[in-house]
Amino acid sequence: MDGAISTRDNRPRGNAARTSEAVTCGSAGIVYDGRADLDHEFPFCRSSVRKFRRGEIIAGAGVVLDMFARVQRGMVSASTPLADGREFIVEIVPKGGLIGELEVLRKQSLSLEYRASSDCELHYFDGRLLRDLCANDPQFQVKILSKALARVSELELRIISNAGSSLRQRLARTLLRLSALYRMDAQNSGDELIISQHELAATLPASREKVNQCLRRLRESKVVDGTQGKIRILNRKALEAYAEGAGLA
């Protein structure tokens, strides 16, 4: 997951250009002195910092790694191909989210492809140190596994909720969910989402044509607005009503 490792084409998509910077620590051991160069969430030194441009592949499915990452800035999408060849974005990992921690603990390969949904910065940690800490600190192990369980539970509930919903409901719920992720950054109001129509269709999932039709109706109703690659929420209450199924034929 250290940026250069991928089983798929690692060239930037669109006009995205690759940037990276490595920051290594002097000691590989576990430290607890609270220095400014340590990630507050993990009591050991990060091994590197890497920056990615929007659209760049971070790690491909099937790769076996002994590192995991924390999203320090921006957002990362985790996707898998569907049987018909379309992409399904399973999860959007926001700032503070972890990537690959369960695979490191289980010593398994990545099952999803990870790509930068926006310009982002990832902090990488040694998988061996994570396994050692989980083995020696039950409270830390519970913390890591609880976070992973919460993510799995959220995904399960979302799939169940979407199963009997109209496309407009799913679209409204997705926009509100993405807005909540953007709001995790104190500098972002969550009203403007940086997402392409292709990415939005892959997140639902649905065909791009049908997603475009739903977006057009929401624009005509002045619920959302936007330009290419961006969607701005104009009427949050109306969007919440659509998410609950109100006003749908």
Side-chain angles (χ1 to χ4, degrees):
M1 190 185 299
D2 203 6
I5 304 175
S6 175
T7 56
R8 302 188 184 183
D9 185 1
N10 200 38
R11 292 174 297 177
R13 301 191 178 186
N15 295 323
R18 180 186 184 79
T19 62
S20 64
E21 97 179 84
V23 179
T24 57
C25 298
S27 172
I30 297 178
V31 290
Y32 295 89
D33 59 4
R35 292 179 298 167
D37 62 339
L38 301 182
D39 189 294
H40 71 279
E41 193 170 9
F42 302 107
F44 45 82
C45 197
R46 66 187 180 230
S47 63
S48 64
V49 175
R50 299 192 71 90
K51 296 179 181 179
F52 298 88
R53 301 263 188 195
R54 170 174 163 77
E56 185 178 2
I57 295 177
I58 295 170
V63 174
V64 179
L65 302 169
D66 204 19
M67 298 188 76
F68 69 102
R70 180 181 186 274
V71 181
Q72 189 70 15
R73 178 175 58 85
M75 293 194 293
V76 174
S77 65
S79 65
T80 187
L82 296 175
D84 59 6
R86 290 183 298 156
E87 177 188 23
F88 174 34
I89 296 179
V90 179
E91 180 184 16
I92 302 290
V93 185
K95 177 182 177 181
L98 300 179
I99 298 172
E101 75 282 12
L102 289 182
E103 288 82 357
V104 161
L105 291 174
R106 297 170 177 170
K107 296 184 178 180
Q108 296 178 341
S109 62
L110 296 174
S111 57
L112 300 173
E113 177 182 273
Y114 293 90
R115 187 184 310 147
S117 295
S118 63
D119 291 352
C120 62
E121 177 182 307
L122 271 61
H123 289 191
Y124 289 85
F125 298 87
D126 189 329
R128 175 183 57 83
L129 297 180
L130 179 66
R131 289 192 296 273
D132 290 347
L133 189 56
C134 283
N136 296 317
D137 188 340
Q139 290 184 342
F140 183 81
Q141 182 184 60
V142 168
K143 178 181 178 181
I144 291 293
L145 295 181
S146 294
K147 281 191 172 185
L149 180 60
R151 287 163 54 190
V152 172
S153 297
E154 189 276 335
L155 175 61
E156 182 181 59
L157 291 173
R158 178 155 43 93
I159 291 174
I160 293 172
S161 176
N162 287 344
S165 303
S166 68
L167 178 56
R168 194 185 299 185
Q169 277 183 286
R170 288 157 51 201
L171 175 58
R173 290 170 182 169
T174 297
L175 293 177
L176 290 170
R177 180 167 56 89
L178 291 175
S179 174
L181 295 181
Y182 272 87
R183 282 184 168 182
M184 294 179 70
D185 185 341
Q187 298 179 346
N188 198 308
S189 67
D191 289 333
E192 186 171 273
L193 314 178
I194 301 175
I195 186 169
S196 68
Q197 291 179 354
H198 167 78
E199 292 169 324
L200 193 54
T203 302
L204 289 171
S207 71
R208 186 171 175 177
E209 292 75 15
K210 290 183 178 180
V211 172
N212 288 344
Q213 291 174 5
C214 281
L215 280 175
R216 185 170 62 251
R217 294 191 186 101
L218 291 178
R219 289 193 187 99
E220 291 171 351
S221 302
K222 300 189 183 304
V223 177
V224 302
D225 195 4
T227 57
Q228 186 174 7
K230 291 184 180 180
I231 296 176
R232 183 171 181 80
I233 298 174
L234 301 177
N235 189 334
R236 186 173 293 272
K237 288 185 178 180
L239 193 62
E240 291 171 349
Y242 282 130
E244 293 299 323
L248 299 179

